[in-house]
Amino acid sequence: MAGTRITNLQSVGKQPPLILPHQVTGAAPDTVQMRIKTSQSSGDRLSQTKSMVLQDPDLPPRPISRHRRNQSQHNIGGAGAVETPVVLNGEYLNKAKISEGGKKLRKNWTSTWVVLDTDKLLFYKDSKQEALTNLKPGCSPDGMDLCGAVAEWTTEKSSRKNVLQITTSSGSEFLLQADNYHTISKWHDAIKMTADNLSKGAAGKASDKPGIRRANSTEYLPRHGLPSKTLSLPRPAPESLCTKDPKPEHRRSLMFKSSKLTYSMSDSADKNGVKNRLKKFITRRPSMKTLQEKGIIKDRVFGCPLLALCEREGTTVPNFVRQCVEAVEKRGLEADGIYRVSGNLATIQKLRFLVDQEVEFNLDDSQWEDIHVVTGALKMFFRELPEPLFPFPFFELFVEAIKTKECKQKVQVIKKLVLQLPKPNQDTMKVLFRHLQKILTCSRKNLMSTQGISIVFGPTLMWPELDCGNMAVNMVYQNQIVEFILIESPEIFGLQNK
């Protein structure tokens, strides 16, 4: 008979209860229930129940439910309808996570203890962590849900061989790799089978729910039969069946994105307002000259033009130069290698800071007891002048003068050039060379000669404005000029040679 369904029930030592028509799950009103006793034996009875469903012969037979609960209770669909899940014991594989939620991550390979569960892939640091996790349920390992996941081989995401790429339904991407092809191939087949089984199971659950509804109406149409007035929710998409609820942090990120979109216009307006305020602040900012006149910004000593420094101090020789010269002449004329030996750079910088801040200091203080710190600061002062003590326009003139062969003529030419220098340059040069003359008077003790002093002060007191020539040649001329002026300083500057 069409539409007949027969179910065998077996019981041991107890007669099955009588099943009434209204108690049969899914039975139609036109169902006739019969119980037929076939045989009896000691301690065993066999009962057989036939359920005859009277249906319209034109309609196709009703599909059999594949739900596990129906199979276990009513033994419908037969064994093997759902494949047995694949479970693989732990094994060390190389793992790298390259994407999370569609956002690319930096690839970092790590050796991980991987375990394939019934519906997910678990990652442990090592096998000991797996045992510890089993003992402590609160310790959950990192995992990956395989429902809706796609496992495939890849050669583009890594230069390693035997690389397996797994893409989850949430958009995360993992790479698994092993040097042994048979090992990774086993995991590829098992993961792919598990993902397919989970997808089929989710699709089977979705097929049990009717999903046809008339347009512009709440009337629901079943797959077979006349329309009924039962209200039903719309059929969800298969992808949504195998995805879990988003994590709280995902919700927060979505809320943040939506709020960012909502307030994008106001944010841009705020940014424009900030820009306008900054522009007004910059345009209204007082000039450097105004700040200097008010004393808010003070001019430095190191790096200040010689003419401006002397004009500010009201002298023709900078005060710092005079202080250094007096300190060296007081306690450093006989120091070994004076001006040739370098002092402690940190202490020199500390002295420079005090000078620039116009803080009162005494070079006879114990912190400046090393005379080489004083000489180092004096040399730094001359090196950091924007224009050297021998001004740029006079560099080539002094070079041509030093090339003169006759000594008396050379002295007259250089003396004439010195007298043409600005007054601060001329007076500072006179004080400095008089001081160096005193250094030479103690040359037996300090072991400094005219040639040694010229090598130190040649590049310090003069250099060309543009380094377009031969640097070695210029250095030779610099040393020769300083050495000649040092030797002939009594004649050039009118000094008395003691």
Side-chain angles (χ1 to χ4, degrees):
M1 179 184 294
T4 302
R5 182 175 58 183
I6 301 175
T7 306
N8 295 330
L9 298 175
Q10 295 182 357
S11 62
V12 179
K14 186 176 181 181
Q15 185 177 358
L18 177 62
I19 302 175
L20 300 178
H22 66 276
Q23 295 175 340
V24 179
T25 304
D30 298 333
T31 304
V32 179
Q33 299 288 337
M34 294 190 304
R35 175 183 296 167
I36 302 176
K37 297 182 179 180
T38 56
S39 62
Q40 291 183 353
S41 61
S42 59
D44 184 16
R45 291 183 179 179
L46 177 63
S47 299
Q48 187 177 27
T49 302
K50 294 183 179 180
S51 175
M52 293 178 292
V53 182
L54 301 180
Q55 295 182 351
D56 191 353
D58 297 334
L59 296 176
R62 184 177 181 180
I64 299 174
S65 176
R66 298 296 182 183
H67 198 278
R68 294 182 180 179
R69 183 178 61 186
N70 297 335
Q71 295 178 15
S72 61
Q73 293 180 358
H74 308 291
N75 197 20
I76 298 175
V82 179
E83 298 182 10
T84 304
V86 180
V87 177
L88 284 182
N89 294 327
E91 192 168 4
Y92 281 106
L93 298 177
N94 296 322
K95 184 204 74 170
K97 189 174 184 180
I98 60 175
S99 176
E100 182 175 5
K103 182 179 179 181
K104 292 184 178 181
L105 302 176
R106 184 177 180 181
K107 182 170 56 180
N108 186 17
W109 288 100
T110 56
S111 180
T112 309
W113 183 263
V114 185
V115 176
L116 177 60
D117 204 353
T118 55
D119 59 346
K120 61 179 61 178
L121 204 61
L122 303 177
F123 302 114
Y124 301 88
K125 293 182 180 179
D126 49 26
S127 57
K128 295 181 181 179
Q129 185 187 6
E130 180 187 7
L132 183 61
T133 304
N134 295 331
L135 294 176
K136 296 181 180 180
C139 302
S140 58
D142 296 335
M144 173 177 51
D145 191 4
L146 295 178
C147 182
V150 178
E152 56 186 357
W153 299 104
T154 180
T155 56
E156 300 177 355
K157 300 298 179 67
S158 176
S159 59
R160 298 189 178 191
K161 62 179 181 179
N162 306 331
V163 178
L164 170 63
Q165 178 182 351
I166 304 173
T167 306
T168 63
S169 57
S170 61
S172 299
E173 296 181 1
F174 293 82
L175 298 180
L176 295 180
Q177 186 267 344
D179 295 335
N180 191 340
Y181 173 75
H182 297 287
T183 301
I184 196 64
S185 179
K186 173 184 66 176
W187 283 89
H188 170 268
D189 298 340
I191 293 172
K192 189 172 184 180
M193 183 181 300
T194 303
D196 293 343
N197 291 344
L198 293 173
S199 300
K200 290 179 182 178
K205 293 179 183 180
S207 63
D208 291 342
K209 298 180 181 180
I212 305 175
R213 188 177 63 182
R214 287 182 178 179
N216 301 327
S217 174
T218 58
E219 185 177 356
Y220 186 74
L221 296 178
R223 295 181 181 275
H224 306 293
L226 297 176
S228 62
K229 295 297 181 178
T230 304
L231 295 177
S232 175
L233 295 175
R235 182 181 179 182
E239 293 80 1
S240 62
L241 294 174
C242 57
T243 57
K244 296 183 178 180
D245 295 336
K247 296 181 180 179
E249 57 268 17
H250 293 170
R251 294 194 186 99
R252 287 196 297 270
S253 63
L254 292 175
M255 293 173 62
F256 175 75
K257 290 180 180 179
S258 62
S259 63
K260 188 175 181 180
L261 293 175
T262 305
Y263 298 103
S264 59
M265 297 298 294
S266 61
D267 291 344
S268 60
D270 294 340
K271 291 180 180 179
N272 292 332
V274 172
K275 290 181 179 179
N276 294 331
R277 288 194 293 270
L278 287 175
K279 288 180 180 179
K280 292 180 179 179
F281 173 76
I282 293 173
T283 54
R284 294 176 181 177
R285 186 178 61 179
S287 62
M288 181 70 70
K289 185 177 180 180
T290 305
L291 295 176
Q292 290 175 352
E293 291 176 354
K294 292 181 178 181
I296 299 176
I297 296 179
K298 298 181 180 180
D299 290 331
R300 297 174 300 173
V301 175
F302 283 76
C304 181
L306 185 62
L307 295 178
L309 180 60
C310 292
E311 182 180 358
R312 189 176 72 201
E313 295 179 351
T315 61
T316 56
V317 179
N319 294 330
F320 180 69
V321 175
R322 288 189 180 275
Q323 290 176 334
C324 292
V325 167
E326 291 175 359
V328 173
E329 292 180 356
K330 183 177 180 179
R331 55 187 175 92
L333 290 178
E334 297 180 357
D336 186 12
I338 189 70
Y339 286 111
R340 177 173 53 81
V341 178
S342 300
N344 184 272
L345 183 58
T347 310
I348 294 174
Q349 292 290 355
K350 184 178 179 180
L351 178 59
R352 171 187 176 174
F353 177 79
L354 294 178
V355 174
D356 284 337
Q357 297 298 321
E358 297 184 357
V359 179
E360 294 184 2
F361 62 93
N362 186 6
L363 291 179
D364 294 332
D365 194 87
S366 59
Q367 59 181 335
W368 322 118
E369 62 181 357
D370 185 7
I371 196 62
H372 299 296
V373 171
V374 179
T375 58
L378 181 60
K379 290 186 293 182
M380 180 180 289
F381 171 82
F382 285 114
R383 280 198 303 267
E384 294 195 1
L385 287 174
E387 189 175 28
L389 187 61
F390 290 78
F392 292 131
F394 289 85
F395 181 82
E396 293 296 336
L397 298 177
F398 275 101
V399 171
E400 294 297 328
I402 202 65
K403 293 180 181 179
T404 306
K405 295 182 179 180
E406 188 178 354
C407 182
K408 292 184 179 181
Q409 185 180 358
K410 187 187 301 185
V411 171
Q412 294 301 321
V413 173
I414 292 180
K415 183 178 180 180
K416 185 177 179 180
L417 291 175
V418 170
L419 293 176
Q420 295 176 4
L421 295 175
K423 187 64 174 177
N425 297 65
Q426 183 178 345
D427 291 350
T428 303
M429 194 180 298
K430 182 177 181 179
V431 171
L432 178 62
F433 278 95
R434 179 189 295 165
H435 168 67
L436 296 179
Q437 278 286 341
K438 294 181 180 181
I439 297 292
L440 290 176
T441 58
C442 302
S443 59
R444 291 185 178 181
K445 295 183 178 180
N446 57 37
L447 303 179
M448 292 297 294
S449 61
T450 55
Q451 186 177 3
I453 292 177
S454 63
I455 291 174
V456 173
F457 280 95
T460 303
L461 300 180
M462 62 183 307
W463 59 85
E465 185 175 7
L466 299 176
D467 295 333
C468 55
N470 192 334
M471 183 176 179
V473 175
N474 291 336
M475 186 174 295
V476 171
Y477 288 135
Q478 292 165 356
N479 298 345
Q480 290 179 356
I481 293 171
V482 172
E483 184 179 2
F484 184 80
I485 295 177
L486 183 58
I487 296 173
E488 301 295 338
S489 58
E491 180 67 23
I492 295 175
F493 298 106
L495 303 178
Q496 293 180 359
N497 191 5
K498 295 181 181 181

